[in-house]
Amino acid sequence: MSSIDTLTTPLGGPTLPQERRLVTSIPGPRSQQLLDRKAAAVAAGVGHTAPVHAVAAGGGVIVDADGNSLIDLGSGIAVTTIGNAHPKVVAAVQAQIAQFSHTCFMISPYESYVEVAEALNRITPGDHVKKSALFNSGAEAVENAIKIARKYTKKQAVVAFDHGYHGRTNLTMALTAKAMPYKSGFGPFASEIYRAPMSYPYRDGLTGAEAAKKAISIIEKQVGADNLAAVIIEPIQGEGGFIVPAEGFLPAVLDWCRANGVVFIADEIQTGFARTGAMFASDLFGIVPDLITTAKGIAGGLPLAAVTGRAEIMDASHAGGLGGTYGGNPVACAAALAAIDAFETEGLLERAREIEGVLTGRLSEIQIADPRVGDIRGHGAMIAAEFIDPETGDPDAALTAAVAKACIAQGVIVLTCGTYGNVIRFLPPLSIPDALLHEGLDVVAEALRAA
């Protein structure tokens, strides 16, 4: 019998002991059986980070099929920000699924879709008149933001940035910078996509003004404002390595867009909804995007995404030009309304900033003792450590992979990222207790010492 069978499951999902507990090696025998079934039944291109099969999750832990309890420092890649099986989300989903599961908003609309749009229009940056459209995934939101910008400007070119990640569909692969594993062998890609250099203070040594001047010069020379529909950028890059641009970079690029009739799109799919200690990372940099894409943390673990922006831009599309069969599914909308309520009423912005203090404090201590930790960066519960060869400063992907693998073997789920594969990103759920967070960082420190 799995340990999950011994746990009570009141409203809100499993009440799980907040502890790291290893009763077998990782993977245990039951997880290994399921991994074997996965290999036989699931396409090889669908990989996994931790060789476990989850049966329950909540607070700061994930319990696997063998009864192991692992510390979760990944939140399903920044999705379960409010914690798995949050009571408000569970109650909202249960009520909605008992009422109806689907009608298609484009066929017979329902109030929860409108309520989600109203909430997004209210909480996203800026006090201008906004409208929203709902979709299923981050990549779908990005594709629709590009569609809207092209329709509004009547121009076609789009600029994305070095180290950026925007999805795995054809258009979003073209926007994404990293070839492996996201793009290699999957072309040809969508046309009229161009790339500009990102501000990367740790590696380029430029001020925000200098980095913006360099990027804008390339955009003007290689694309031209007269051809450019949109610039899309993550205010803090996610998969690219949690790169925080130098102060002044984003405002300078935004000002150039405004002066040249270019739509500025902030991809806040990973940074949105309290993850960075602000409701949206754009708030940290004092920018108000024309359009903003959201997903991941929006609905407490259910699939939902959105594009929100200036009403005149959002209204550029003809009727029927935006939508999708499942976009704004009523169950996902119910979850989103509950999640947004939690973000606004449960002190989660403050909690993200508390987690930032723990993460940056502990990681800085590790950095002082170990020169292989080249940089600590990020905001809120979105912090990264970049690993290097201390003699050359070159990225050390092998060390990074070894540390991550050792952490998972010891029951701590961490995720790697970065263009060079040399960054460990910390994305704990905001529901994680401090003691568990400290214990997870103890394991990281020991894994680094042993690597």
Side-chain angles (χ1 to χ4, degrees):
M1 181 172 65
S2 167
S3 66
I4 189 62
D5 296 320
T6 67
L7 299 173
T8 59
T9 54
L11 181 68
T15 300
L16 302 175
Q18 294 300 292
E19 62 182 9
R20 179 171 63 103
R21 182 180 67 251
L22 295 179
V23 297
T24 72
S25 59
I26 303 292
R30 177 60 177 152
S31 281
Q32 187 58 59
Q33 291 174 3
L34 293 168
L35 289 170
D36 293 341
R37 288 170 57 190
K38 172 184 180 289
V42 178
V46 182
H48 59 268
T49 297
V52 298
H53 273 259
V55 296
V61 299
I62 294 175
V63 177
D64 77 2
D66 295 285
N68 299 300
S69 178
L70 293 85
I71 298 175
D72 179 14
L73 299 184
S75 300
I77 319 182
V79 170
T80 55
T81 304
I82 61 173
N84 254 293
H86 188 285
K88 289 180 179 177
V89 172
V90 172
V93 166
Q94 288 175 335
Q96 179 58 56
I97 198 72
Q99 197 168 6
F100 65 95
S101 58
H102 177 75
T103 67
C104 184
F105 187 77
M106 298 179 300
I107 303 301
S108 53
Y110 35 88
E111 185 177 10
S112 58
Y113 184 117
V114 178
E115 288 181 306
V116 172
E118 290 170 339
L120 292 171
N121 298 342
R122 174 175 53 83
I123 67 176
T124 49
D127 57 5
H128 51 279
V129 178
K130 300 175 216 162
K131 291 190 176 183
S132 293
L134 305 185
F135 305 98
N136 300 293
S137 69
E140 204 176 332
V142 169
E143 293 233 359
N144 279 277
I146 299 301
K147 283 169 55 177
I148 293 165
R150 284 172 165 166
K151 187 77 169 181
Y152 176 74
T153 62
K154 299 179 173 58
K155 297 185 284 187
Q156 295 183 343
V158 178
V159 165
F161 286 78
D162 288 341
H163 313 291
Y165 175 85
H166 298 287
R168 298 172 187 253
T169 57
N170 187 266
L171 174 59
T172 57
M173 279 192 296
L175 295 167
T176 292
K178 191 174 180 179
M180 280 296 291
Y182 305 114
K183 301 170 68 170
S184 185
F186 295 137
F189 303 114
S191 62
E192 287 299 305
I193 304 296
Y194 302 88
R195 198 165 308 283
M198 178 66 177
S199 171
Y200 193 162
Y202 178 64
R203 295 205 168 268
D204 66 24
L206 300 177
T207 67
E210 291 167 341
K213 182 178 180 180
K214 179 179 178 182
I216 289 167
S217 176
I218 287 174
I219 293 169
E220 290 179 336
K221 290 180 174 66
Q222 297 187 12
V223 186
D226 290 344
N227 304 309
L228 185 58
V231 162
I232 184 167
I233 190 167
E234 302 156 274
I236 299 172
Q237 291 184 317
E239 172 60 25
F242 284 20
I243 299 168
V244 181
E247 184 178 355
F249 177 79
L250 290 172
V253 174
L254 175 58
D255 288 346
W256 180 88
C257 288
R258 293 272 159 78
N260 288 276
V262 176
V263 176
F264 184 97
I265 304 170
D267 181 340
E268 293 239 25
I269 289 160
Q270 189 160 164
T271 55
F273 299 100
R275 175 53 64 180
T276 63
M279 189 64 82
F280 297 95
S282 294
D283 296 327
L284 297 173
F285 300 98
I287 61 170
V288 177
D290 297 314
L291 300 178
I292 182 169
T293 60
T294 53
K296 288 191 181 290
I298 191 173
L302 273 72
L304 189 70
V307 182
T308 301
R310 298 183 183 277
E312 66 272 20
I313 300 176
M314 292 297 296
D315 280 344
S317 175
H318 51 275
L322 304 177
T325 301
Y326 289 104
N329 170 269
V331 180
C333 284
L337 292 170
I340 291 170
D341 177 68
F343 286 123
E344 293 194 298
T345 64
E346 296 184 2
L348 296 183
L349 297 180
E350 293 79 7
R351 179 58 185 152
R353 293 192 285 268
E354 291 172 356
I355 289 172
E356 176 183 346
V358 174
L359 287 170
T360 57
R362 291 293 308 278
L363 291 171
S364 294
E365 292 173 359
I366 295 170
Q367 183 183 32
I368 290 169
D370 195 326
R372 295 176 297 173
V373 182
D375 193 29
I376 306 297
R377 56 178 178 260
H379 288 274
M382 184 177 180
I383 304 295
E386 178 165 349
F387 294 88
I388 61 168
D389 180 331
E391 294 185 1
T392 65
D394 291 340
D396 194 337
L399 172 65
T400 307
V403 171
K405 183 177 180 180
C407 288
I408 292 170
Q410 291 301 312
V412 178
I413 296 175
V414 296
L415 309 177
T416 61
C417 66
T419 298
Y420 313 109
N422 69 320
V423 176
I424 289 181
R425 52 180 158 176
F426 297 91
L427 290 163
L430 303 184
S431 55
I432 192 171
D434 279 354
L436 212 56
L437 186 58
H438 279 288
E439 184 177 356
L441 291 167
D442 289 341
V443 172
V444 173
E446 179 56 35
L448 179 60
R449 283 192 291 269

